[in-house]
């Protein structure tokens, strides 16, 4: 079966979904290929034990580390991609993130564009994804051409107290940007009383501004947009010159199908975008499609992150905890490199604790975990990791993903944790190491936490060191683009989704102009 389209987009997550939404008004014939299905709306969406301990929505993929040990990556193949599970903390990168930055373990390279180039697209992404926040509160943020569409989500009393304590101690807490659909008083709890708004859980009532709800669903039924679910792209084929993608090869319901388009855009997430390119090797692209530079799959990043539960004597009855951020240690200060971002996590629950720390919690009774969760204030620390060439996705003969990764910037990660402990002492909260849940950093299979995966097909001006050009078009292929986190040359230390969305809008404008 061969069908022809103007644009084929592979993947319907933050990048692909947003790109489809940007291109749809052009009237061009768009095919959105998504390997997953719609995430079922069921009571288990809100059951942390089913989601975390039961791994209800995690893909059954098996990947391998650099020693050949298998692990189950925390990837979620659904319409909306990783955003179905994300915490919707929608941060912009800081302007300095677009420049070269020196860290203890090396250089974080500059982007081929400046913050000011992406700024208009950040604004459009914030308005599309209905972000609540207050530009101007965080002293490290860049200029914004427009305020957020909605005022910040109010802190609940315990978080307001933390914010006041931080300010009294000389820090600069701010209202975190949240992508959430609320009613008029801007209180999350009133919008969704059942939802504890935990990172890693889908929202049954579709109040979370994810790529399915915001970008893809509004396109369903449009005559020029076709969404195929259960459609895994396995390879791209080119013409004999190797310059043009002619066929997108899809495995769907056990059948192989091919589709064609004037423009093909990969947005399958960093690891799977690399996988598709590597599986598309041919005579003209012996090393994998668009991989004359040997950069495809390399420079994988996923952040040095750490979750910390701090216990306070008084109970923390907060429902929607993710309303506060702190960037006092984000920028270099002359005596040290940038340390990173501190923000709130979704509220702890026994199910989440068991899912993230199965060994530690195995013998702990549920009532005890409930008590811990009731008193905990949960924080999330993020430090930038570096795009090292040997941190890379490769494939074995069967096409399975192998992920080699060595952590970088441990000094900065520890520095940020030290600063947090000082903060916790100043604000009457003690960090309890025994309860510290290191989702990403110290799990026995840390590679499995691929939530913030980025790199693998970075964009840049030099074809020798990058896969795509500044428009995110493959240097070596005339009609192949990228719109996901694979293009990141560096990852900064804030959550990546808004940058993926903003860049997808930018790529969408470019592709629409090209097709005009
Ligand atoms: C638990 C969790 C919490 C997070 N919290 C935040 C947060 O609060 N803030 C934030 O900014 N970011 C957060 N993130 C990260 C954010 O979701 C990702 O950075 C973002 O979604 C990446 O966008 P993407 O387009 O690169 O990939 P994705 O959004 O994952 O989209 C990739 C899509 O491609 C599909 N696909 C894969 N392979 C194929 C194939 N071969 N054929 C067809 N389709 C394919 C996938 O099913 C998926 O739908 C979180 C992620 C997780 C998992």
């Amino acid at each position: 079966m061969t069908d022809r389209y103007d644009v084929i987009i592979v993947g319907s997550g933050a990048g692909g979904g947003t790109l489809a939404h940007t291109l749809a008004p052009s009237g061009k014939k768009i095919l959105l290929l998504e390997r997953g299905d719609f995430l079922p709306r069921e009571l288990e969406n809100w059951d942390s034990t089913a989601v975390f301990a039961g791994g209800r929505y995690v893909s059954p993929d098996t990947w391998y580390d650099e020693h050949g040990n298998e692990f189950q990556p925390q990837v979620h193949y659904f319409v909306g991609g990783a955003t179905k599970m994300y915490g919707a903390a929608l941060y912009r990168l800081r302007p300095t993130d677009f420049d070269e930055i020196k860290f203890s373990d090396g250089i974080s390279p500059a982007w081929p564009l400046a913050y000011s180039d992406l700024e208009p697209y950040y604004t459009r992404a914030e308005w599309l994804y209905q972000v609540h926040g207050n530009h101007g509160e965080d002293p490290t943020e860049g200029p914004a051409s427009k305020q957020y569409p909605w005022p910040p989500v109010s802190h609940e009393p315990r978080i307001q107290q933390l914010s006041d304590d931080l300010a009294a101690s000389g820090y600069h807490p701010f209202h975190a940007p949240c992508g959430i659909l609320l009613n008029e008083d801007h209180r999350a709890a009133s919008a969704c009383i059942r939802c504890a708004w935990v990172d890693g859980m889908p929202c049954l009532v579709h109040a979370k501004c994810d790529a399915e709800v915001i970008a893809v669903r509004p396109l369903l039924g449009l005559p020029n947009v076709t969404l195929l679910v259960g459609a895994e792209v396995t390879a791209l084929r080119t013409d004999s010159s190797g310059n043009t993608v002619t066929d997108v090869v899809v495995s769907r319901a056990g059948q192989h199908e091919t589709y064609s388009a004037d423009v093909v855009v990969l947005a399958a997430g960093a690891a799977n975008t690399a996988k598709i390119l590597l599986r598309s090797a041919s005579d003209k692209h012996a090393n994998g499609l668009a991989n004359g530079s040997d950069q495809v799959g390399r420079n994988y990043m996923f952040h040095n992150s750490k979750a910390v539960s701090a216990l306070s004597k008084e109970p923390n009855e907060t429902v929607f905890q993710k309303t506060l951020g702190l960037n006092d240690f984000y920028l270099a200060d002359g005596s040290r490199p940038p340390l990173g971002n501190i923000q709130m996590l979704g509220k702890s629950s026994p199910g989440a604790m068991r899912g993230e720390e199965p060994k530690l919690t195995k013998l702990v009774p549920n009532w005890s975990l409930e008590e811990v969760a009731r008193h905990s204030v949960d924080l999330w620390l993020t430090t930038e990791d570096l795009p090292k060439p040997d941190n890379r996705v490769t494939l074995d003969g069967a096409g399975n993903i192998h992920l080699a990764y060595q952590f970088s910037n441990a000094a900065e990660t520890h520095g940020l944790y030290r600063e947090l402990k000082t903060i916790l002492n100043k604000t009457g909260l003690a960090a309890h190491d025994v309860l510290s849940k290191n989702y990403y950093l110290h799990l026995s299979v840390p590679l499995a936490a691929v939530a913030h995966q980025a790199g693998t097909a970075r964009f840049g001006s030099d074809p020798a060191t990058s896969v795509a050009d500044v428009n995110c078009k493959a240097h070596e292929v005339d009609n192949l683009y990228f719109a996901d986190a694979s293009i990141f040359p560096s990852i900064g230390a804030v959550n990546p989704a808004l940058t993926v969305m903003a860049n997808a809008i930018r790529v969408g404008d470019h592709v629409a102009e090209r097709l005009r």
Side-chain angles (χ1 to χ4, degrees):
M1 171 178 169
T2 301
D3 278 332
R4 186 147 191 97
Y5 292 83
D6 294 312
V7 185
I8 291 176
I9 301 169
V10 181
S12 65
T18 307
L19 175 69
H21 190 277
T22 307
L23 283 172
S26 71
K28 296 293 175 190
K29 200 175 164 200
I30 298 163
L31 175 63
L32 187 53
L33 295 169
E34 168 54 53
R35 74 186 286 173
D37 205 334
F38 285 93
L39 191 140
R41 297 174 78 172
E42 53 187 10
L43 283 177
E44 286 85 351
N45 289 179
W46 283 341
D47 178 346
S48 61
T49 303
V51 173
F52 294 110
R56 190 168 180 85
Y57 305 113
V58 176
S59 100
D61 269 17
T62 299
W63 295 3
Y64 298 84
D65 70 14
E66 61 197 309
H67 307 295
N69 301 313
E70 64 179 49
F71 65 93
Q72 187 181 23
Q74 300 289 304
V75 282
H76 310 87
Y77 297 138
F78 293 104
V79 175
T83 69
K84 286 310 296 172
M85 317 303 288
Y86 80 164
L90 291 175
Y91 283 80
R92 298 178 178 207
L93 288 171
R94 315 288 102 174
T96 49
D97 290 324
F98 293 82
D99 303 331
E100 192 174 284
I101 302 177
K102 196 169 177 323
F103 286 91
S104 57
D105 284 350
I107 297 291
S108 163
W111 285 47
L113 41 75
Y115 172 83
S116 54
D117 297 319
L118 204 56
E119 197 288 327
Y121 303 100
Y122 272 135
T123 295
R124 283 169 63 183
E126 284 165 354
W127 278 71
L128 175 61
Y129 279 85
Q130 304 288 307
V131 182
H132 289 247
N134 190 15
H135 284 306
E137 278 186 13
D138 172 8
T140 68
E141 72 176 350
S145 53
K146 211 167 166 184
Q147 189 48 273
Y148 288 107
W150 299 102
V153 181
S154 338
H155 297 313
E156 290 176 52
R158 182 67 189 88
I159 306 306
Q160 184 63 55
Q161 185 195 325
L162 177 61
S163 177
D164 294 344
D165 291 346
L166 286 167
S169 303
Y171 299 105
H172 302 87
F174 57 91
H175 285 89
C178 303
I180 181 171
L181 299 170
L182 297 181
N183 57 11
E184 279 172 6
D185 67 0
H186 309 295
R187 292 181 59 86
S190 58
C192 180
I193 49 170
R194 277 293 312 278
C195 183
W197 200 270
V198 179
D199 302 82
M201 291 180 77
C203 180
L204 176 53
V205 297
H206 280 186
K208 173 154 72 180
C209 298
D210 61 45
E212 179 208 346
V213 171
I214 295 293
V216 179
R217 272 193 183 269
L219 310 183
L220 302 177
L222 290 184
N224 63 320
V225 180
T226 304
L227 167 68
L228 287 186
V229 297
E232 180 183 355
V233 172
T234 54
L236 307 179
R237 303 277 171 247
T238 66
D239 62 5
S240 56
S241 74
N243 292 334
T244 305
V245 174
T246 50
D247 293 325
V248 176
V249 184
V250 172
S251 168
R252 190 163 71 106
Q255 303 292 318
H256 284 288
E257 302 169 347
T258 59
Y259 298 89
S260 305
D262 291 345
V263 167
V264 174
V265 188
L266 287 180
N272 279 297
T273 282
K275 176 177 173 175
I276 293 167
L277 293 173
L278 294 171
R279 286 183 78 175
S280 303
S282 64
D283 289 349
K284 294 286 180 191
H285 296 273
N287 225 0
L289 185 59
N291 195 22
S293 62
D294 192 29
Q295 292 299 304
V296 170
R298 294 188 185 273
N299 310 305
Y300 177 90
M301 299 164 280
F302 76 127
H303 277 144
N304 281 344
S305 296
K306 191 174 181 68
V308 177
S309 288
L311 291 191
S312 61
K313 283 198 190 105
E314 66 273 29
N316 174 14
E317 307 287 4
T318 308
V319 176
F320 186 87
Q321 193 168 241
K322 292 168 66 69
T323 56
L324 183 144
L326 191 76
N327 275 336
D328 286 61
F329 312 102
Y330 198 95
L331 305 177
D333 75 354
S335 65
R336 53 149 181 82
L339 300 183
N341 165 269
I342 298 175
Q343 61 186 268
M344 306 307 297
L345 260 181
K347 194 74 190 70
S348 279
S349 67
M353 290 178 190
R354 288 196 195 284
E356 301 298 345
E357 293 285 5
K359 284 187 191 146
L360 191 67
T361 55
K362 195 173 171 192
L363 299 176
V364 183
N366 224 40
W367 63 263
S368 170
L369 290 182
E370 268 165 16
E371 202 51 20
V372 169
R374 211 161 86 84
H375 286 262
S376 71
V377 175
D378 309 281
L379 299 120
W380 182 249
L381 277 55
T382 304
T383 296
E384 178 166 353
D385 62 336
L386 295 174
K388 301 217 161 197
D390 291 337
N391 287 350
R392 65 186 295 202
V393 171
T394 53
L395 302 183
D396 61 24
N400 296 308
I401 289 179
H402 288 239
L403 188 50
Y405 185 84
Q406 295 292 325
F407 283 96
S408 54
N409 293 346
E412 287 81 355
T413 306
H414 295 143
L416 189 60
Y417 188 43
R418 260 198 316 275
E419 296 289 357
L420 177 72
K421 286 201 272 195
T422 306
I423 289 173
L424 296 178
N425 286 331
K426 282 187 188 172
T427 54
L429 288 160
H432 288 248
D433 283 347
V434 70
L435 299 169
S436 143
K437 304 164 294 173
N438 302 321
Y439 293 147
Y440 290 56
L441 197 54
H442 299 306
L443 277 177
S444 49
V445 236
L447 270 190
V450 297
H452 288 189
Q453 57 180 288
T456 73
R458 66 185 181 186
F459 75 148
S461 45
D462 183 356
T465 57
S466 57
V467 177
D469 67 15
V470 72
N471 293 317
C472 296
K473 186 189 83 62
H475 288 297
E476 298 166 26
V477 184
D478 289 338
N479 66 338
L480 176 62
Y481 286 80
F482 303 91
D484 58 10
S486 66
I487 60 96
F488 280 34
S490 62
I491 193 171
V494 287
N495 320 50
L498 189 76
T499 300
V500 175
M501 294 156 177
N503 187 57
I505 295 173
R506 191 180 71 92
V507 172
D509 279 4
H510 171 81
V511 169
E513 186 58 35
R514 170 183 168 142
L515 292 174
R516 204 172 288 143

